[in-house]
């Protein structure tokens, strides 16, 4: 039998704000006994296992077909649990946690010995986050252990923002999905490491650089880590968060994004393809005459919170459609736009710069 498809995956619906304690206890018992439970967080769905149980953590990598060199985030119920997974917490990290936990901030800290080695993929550090979603919090509290959880998707695919997405990728590979409805932010947490007075953003995410900067203590600063050098995250592969079909990304720096997008789509139609587009409202008129064209709406680029919430669901929708090739364009790089553009770039097989 295929080792990946040996479990029966149960789906249990829970109220996202007041989850049923019996459902949470069932999930917590599975975590304590080494099982795999997918659960909603405020960012995306996580695939959780007991972070202190090496075998359980390894089974996360098996279920996802994730590369063992890509470390996981450990989820805690509150800051008082930090000492169980981190050897120490630098002052700037503590300050940021004090300001943003619970919430979509992940901090990289020196690792405590109790953490299962596979969590950190051999690093001396551990990434830690305290989610704010009531289902995630209830599950971690009831489990009584820290929960290691990557996004609940197959390796290199887009993160799952609904229970249906989790099943698309992991049905038969995990024990349980707590279905708490769509994940509110729709994009992953911001990963930060700290060195003295500098916070390095290793992965842009749901917590914006502007919010981080505004919360810094006097004398501290925030920098985005240059991928490929000293502070980069090992898991930040160039091609990641990707749909199955090849995505062409129009990278817009000027004002002609809609025209460039329409031109690229027109060329694909002329070549006999059926394009699918991640469509911004402001581009709707420009692509209106184009046919055939499969459209998945992202809302307006001026409302990046909506774009973030829809992004992965729209990619999965186009993957399921009869489109043969996919198109998208970047949005203004402010606020959540930075994380959205980052994910689009990693999803892209081809870039057109305009
Ligand atoms: O919002 C999120 O962060 C979601 C939810 C489930 O919490 N989780 C998530 O996990 O996106 P994952 O495994 O898909 O991404 C974890 C990221 C990767 O980019 C990884 O390289 C980085 O965190 N990371 C983990 N441990 C690290 C460490 N010790 N040092 C540097 N980066 C680390
Ligand atoms: Mg992931």
């Amino acid at each position: 039998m295929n080792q990946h498809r040996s479990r029966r995956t149960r789906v249990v619906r829970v109220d996202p704000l007041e989850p049923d304690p019996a459902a949470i206890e069932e999930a917590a018992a599975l975590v304590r006994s080494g099982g795999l439970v997918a659960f909603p967080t405020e960012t995306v769905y996580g695939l959780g296992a007991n972070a202190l149980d090496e075998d359980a953590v390894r089974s996360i990598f098996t279920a996802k077909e994730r590369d063992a060199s890509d470390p996981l985030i450990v989820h805690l119920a509150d800051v008082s649990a930090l000492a169980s997974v981190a050897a120490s917490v630098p002052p700037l990290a503590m300050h940021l946690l004090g300001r943003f936990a619970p919430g979509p901030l992940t901090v990289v800290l020196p690792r405590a010995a109790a953490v299962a080695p596979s969590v950190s993929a051999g690093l001396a550090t551990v990434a830690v986050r305290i989610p704010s979603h009531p289902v995630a919090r209830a599950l971690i509290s009831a489990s009584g252990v820290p929960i290691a959880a990557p996004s609940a998707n197959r390796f290199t695919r887009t993160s799952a923002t609904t229970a249906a997405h989790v099943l698309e990728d992991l049905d038969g590979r995990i024990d349980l999905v707590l279905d708490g409805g769509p994940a509110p932010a729709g994009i992953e947490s911001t990963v930060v490491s700290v060195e003295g007075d500098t916070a390095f953003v290793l992965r842009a995410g749901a917590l914006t650089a502007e919010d981080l900067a505004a919360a810094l203590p006097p004398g501290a600063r925030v920098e985005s880590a240059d991928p490929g050098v000293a502070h980069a995250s090992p898991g930040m592969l160039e091609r990641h968060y990707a749909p199955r079909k090849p995505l062409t990304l129009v990278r817009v720096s000027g004002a002609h994004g809609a025209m460039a997008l329409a031109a690229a789509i027109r060329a694909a139609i002329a070549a006999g393809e059926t394009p699918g587009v991640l469509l911004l409202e402001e581009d709707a008129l420009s692509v209106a005459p184009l046919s055939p064209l499969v459209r998945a709406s992202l809302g307006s680029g001026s409302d990046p919170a909506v774009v973030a919430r829809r992004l992965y669901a729209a990619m999965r929708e186009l993957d399921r459609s009869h489109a043969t090739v996919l198109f998208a364009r970047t949005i203004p790089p402010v606020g959540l736009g930075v994380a959205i553009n980052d994910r689009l770039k990693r999803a892209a097989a081809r870039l057109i710069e305009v």
Side-chain angles (χ1 to χ4, degrees), residues 5 27 67-69 117 120 175 183 190-191 201 226 270 344:
R5 305 196 67 89
D67 198 284
S69 66
S120 296
D175 298 296
T190 302
V191 181
V201 176
D226 188 356
L344 284 171

Side-chain angles (χ1 to χ4, degrees), residues 44 64 66 70 150-153 155-159 188 203 240-241:
V44 298
K64 285 189 56 131
R66 181 178 175 116
D70 190 0
S151 51
N153 53 280
F155 191 49
T156 75
R157 302 282 328 278
T158 62
S159 296
E188 302 81 0
R203 177 178 73 180
H240 208 145
Y241 309 100

Side-chain angles (χ1 to χ4, degrees), residues 39-47 64 66 69-75 104-109 119-121 123-129 131 149-153 159 187-193 202-203 206 231-237 240-241 343:
F39 59 96
T41 81
E42 70 278 21
T43 56
V44 298
Y45 272 68
L47 174 57
K64 285 189 56 131
R66 181 178 175 116
S69 66
D70 190 0
L72 310 179
I73 297 172
V74 174
H75 296 66
L105 169 71
T106 295
V107 290
V108 175
L109 301 170
V119 167
S120 296
L123 300 172
T125 54
V126 63
V128 177
R129 136 169 154 78
S151 51
N153 53 280
S159 296
I187 200 156
E188 302 81 0
S189 65
T190 302
V191 181
V192 168
S193 73
L202 306 184
R203 177 178 73 180
H231 303 281
S233 252
M236 294 305 284
L237 301 179
H240 208 145
Y241 309 100
R343 302 307 188 271

Side-chain angles (χ1 to χ4, degrees), residues 42 74 95 102 104 109 211 222 263 273 283 287 302 311 314 350:
E42 70 278 21
V74 174
H95 175 89
L109 301 170
D211 284 348
V222 58
E273 301 283 0
D283 297 345
V287 305
S302 63
L311 182 65
R350 184 167 73 112

Side-chain angles (χ1 to χ4, degrees), residues 56-110:
V57 172
R58 285 193 185 185
S59 69
I60 292 178
F61 287 86
T62 307
K64 285 189 56 131
E65 296 174 41
R66 181 178 175 116
D67 198 284
S69 66
D70 190 0
L72 310 179
I73 297 172
V74 174
H75 296 66
L76 306 174
D78 54 67
V79 285
S80 68
L82 276 172
S84 66
V85 297
S88 62
V89 185
L92 181 54
M94 199 62 231
H95 175 89
L96 293 175
L97 285 167
R99 181 69 183 69
F100 295 113
L105 169 71
T106 295
V107 290
V108 175
L109 301 170

Side-chain angles (χ1 to χ4, degrees), residues 19 30 34 66 73 191 199 223 229 271 302 316-317 336 339:
L30 277 166
R66 181 178 175 116
I73 297 172
V191 181
E223 276 186 23
V229 296
S302 63
R316 284 175 183 261
E317 186 184 318
L336 283 172

